[in-house]
Amino acid sequence: MGIRRIGKHLFTSRGAVHRAFSPDAFDAIERAIKASETRHVGQIRFVVEGALDGAPLFRDQPVRERALDIFSQLRIWDTEHNNGVLIYLLLADRNVEIIADRGIDGRVSADTWEAICREMEAEFREGRFEQGVLRGIERITAHLAEHFPRSGPSPNEIPDAPVVV
């Protein structure tokens, strides 16, 4: 466990999330997810966590493992077509993970998911948090629309509003 990582997490407050994402940014992200889901029957969820604390921090929980925990806690796996996608940002690490349920994950390569994450992280390094998330949603939408196109009414199985952990 790196002392540097612990320090970053201990000194990244919940306020950091709100400095990176204004209420208008969260509204834009929610609208982008709603618009995305008019093109496919997949489900997208965006979650941002300012920093790890307690046991996850002191046991040096990897970001991917934390994203899997969130994916499970929010029941993103619980969709009719097994095509829920989580975009998880751990702000203290400026690290993005995409967790895709088995229905879509088997159709999109791990390299593709990783490339989307790296594009988003590049935007975040420049302080363009809203733009980075919107770009990620756009890229994920293209894959969901290709593999799970909408052909009629479809229920919204997962809330579209961003989640702050």
Side-chain angles (χ1 to χ4, degrees), residues 26-129:
F26 281 136
D27 288 344
I29 291 165
E30 182 175 1
R31 284 191 310 272
I33 292 170
K34 283 182 191 306
S36 167
E37 292 177 0
T38 66
R39 297 184 46 208
H40 55 77
V41 295
Q43 300 291 307
I44 298 174
R45 196 82 203 253
F46 172 66
V47 174
V48 57
E49 186 165 21
L52 298 177
D53 60 9
L57 177 60
F58 290 104
R59 71 175 184 80
D60 200 23
Q61 184 177 35
V63 177
R64 181 133 186 109
E65 183 181 304
R66 178 65 176 161
L68 284 164
D69 286 349
I70 299 292
F71 183 87
S72 177
Q73 289 170 17
L74 295 178
R75 299 177 57 104
I76 297 168
W77 50 265
D78 193 16
T79 63
E80 181 179 352
H81 301 288
N82 299 312
N83 58 4
V85 178
L86 169 67
I87 303 169
Y88 171 77
L89 166 61
L90 183 54
L91 194 59
D93 290 344
R94 299 287 201 274
N95 193 315
V96 176
E97 289 290 338
I98 293 175
I99 307 294
D101 203 355
R102 62 193 175 277
I104 185 66
D105 193 49
R107 299 174 188 208
V108 178
S109 74
D111 288 342
T112 299
W113 295 127
E114 185 66 24
I116 296 169
C117 290
R118 299 303 75 88
E119 287 176 26
M120 293 173 69
E121 289 169 356
E123 292 285 344
F124 300 158
R125 281 192 297 277
E126 299 299 321
R128 296 187 296 260
F129 293 95

